[in-house]
Amino acid sequence: MTRTYATFDGYHSESQLEKIRDLMQGKSYMHFNVSVGCAGGTENCILGVSTDYEDVTQEELKESFTWALINELARRL
């Protein structure tokens, strides 16, 4: 089984990304594995997403995660 990885780079706070991780861990048919990595403090963090779902590209993973996140947030409004 091949694992596909994608990252969302940027200057995000650790606390923001931890909330997204907690919200999205294991979601969708792709069963997202979400991680937070920080360099040089807690305001320069990236979000990592991976899946074991077969035959998915990095771009497809990012699109699927973004779509699922938007839908999850919309359900909570």
Side-chain angles (χ1 to χ4, degrees):
M1 187 177 304
T2 303
R3 182 164 281 230
T4 304
Y5 297 92
T7 59
F8 292 85
D9 300 328
Y11 296 99
H12 307 290
S13 75
E14 185 174 28
S15 63
Q16 289 171 329
L17 296 183
E18 286 175 344
K19 290 176 185 176
I20 293 172
R21 179 196 60 208
D22 294 346
L23 181 66
M24 296 304 294
Q25 182 67 31
K27 298 284 180 161
S28 115
Y29 64 93
M30 288 193 184
H31 302 284
F32 300 123
N33 182 36
V34 185
S35 60
V36 176
C38 299
T42 60
E43 298 299 320
N44 186 20
C45 302
I46 63 169
L47 188 71
V49 180
S50 65
T51 184
D52 289 332
Y53 191 77
E54 293 186 27
D55 298 323
V56 64
T57 67
Q58 187 179 55
E59 183 177 327
E60 290 169 333
L61 175 57
K62 285 180 99 167
E63 288 175 4
S64 180
F65 183 81
T66 301
W67 180 87
L69 177 60
I70 290 168
N71 280 293
E72 190 65 33
L73 292 172
R75 276 198 289 267
R76 294 168 180 267
L77 295 176

